[in-house]
Amino acid sequence: MESAFQERLEQLERHVEPGPVMVRCGAGAPLAFGRAASASGHRLVVVIPTHNGVPAMPPRHDRMATGELLNLAARARLLSYDPNHRDSCVGADERMIATSGLLLAVWDGSPPNGRDATAHLVTYARARGIPVEVVWPTGAERGTGEAIPDPPAALPVREAAKPPGTHYS
């Protein structure tokens, strides 16, 4: 999945000025995208959840990925949403998309059906005139839970992105 993101980012750079890219923290596609963006030299902005203005603990399955994304990030953006609530996450994604110039979506092209958040977000972006680029890696299947490999050794990790004494678990 990372290679598909990196390939698409490189294709897009031929047509538009490279700029910062934004992703909501999490494992799976967000982490793969963050790694690809960083490897492509983009400034990564990681959106982290807050509760009453204080950063919220991500769900257990997203904690390692969130730590890695924060290490890769040039900047973190705090956004009020509940990472354990689907509708809250979709609302956060809508707010991110509304301030973006392009949506890069991992999507199989299925229609919005009330359950597929990606289909909803693609429709949301298009309705607002925000261009959408679709990535669907060769051989990908919905619901396969494709494993995301460990980062390559050459992937830069900027220690300055993590305040001294901070650790992630």
Side-chain angles (χ1 to χ4, degrees):
M1 188 178 307
E2 276 177 59
S3 61
F5 280 133
Q6 195 160 359
E7 182 180 311
R8 187 55 61 96
L9 285 167
E10 289 167 3
Q11 290 170 354
L12 291 171
E13 284 175 7
R14 292 184 207 130
H15 306 289
V16 296
E17 196 63 31
V21 297
M22 187 171 16
V23 67
R24 185 167 48 84
C25 68
L31 179 57
F33 178 75
R35 288 174 177 167
S38 180
S40 297
H42 289 273
R43 288 187 341 263
L44 181 64
V45 178
V46 176
V47 176
I48 57 175
T50 64
H51 179 69
N52 293 329
V54 176
M57 181 66 76
R60 184 170 297 283
H61 66 275
D62 285 336
R63 289 180 190 164
M64 294 296 288
T66 297
E68 183 176 341
L69 283 167
L70 288 170
N71 276 319
L72 294 172
R75 195 173 68 142
R77 177 180 171 193
L78 302 176
L79 190 61
S80 180
Y81 72 94
D82 180 351
N84 295 302
H85 190 266
R86 179 194 177 278
D87 290 342
S88 183
C89 290
V90 170
D93 289 341
E94 287 176 348
R95 292 190 303 265
M96 286 173 35
I97 291 167
T99 64
S100 299
L102 173 76
L103 172 63
L104 188 58
V106 178
W107 181 45
D108 64 357
S110 59
N113 60 12
R115 294 186 324 265
D116 183 352
T118 304
H120 164 78
L121 294 168
V122 166
T123 301
Y124 178 88
R126 287 179 174 160
R128 280 146 188 81
I130 298 166
V132 176
E133 288 287 329
V134 175
V135 174
W136 192 252
T138 305
E141 293 182 31
R142 179 174 285 283
T144 63
E146 177 185 349
I148 305 299
D150 288 333
L155 193 65
V157 176
R158 288 176 276 181
E159 289 299 322
K162 182 171 72 170
T166 303
H167 69 289
Y168 303 100
S169 56

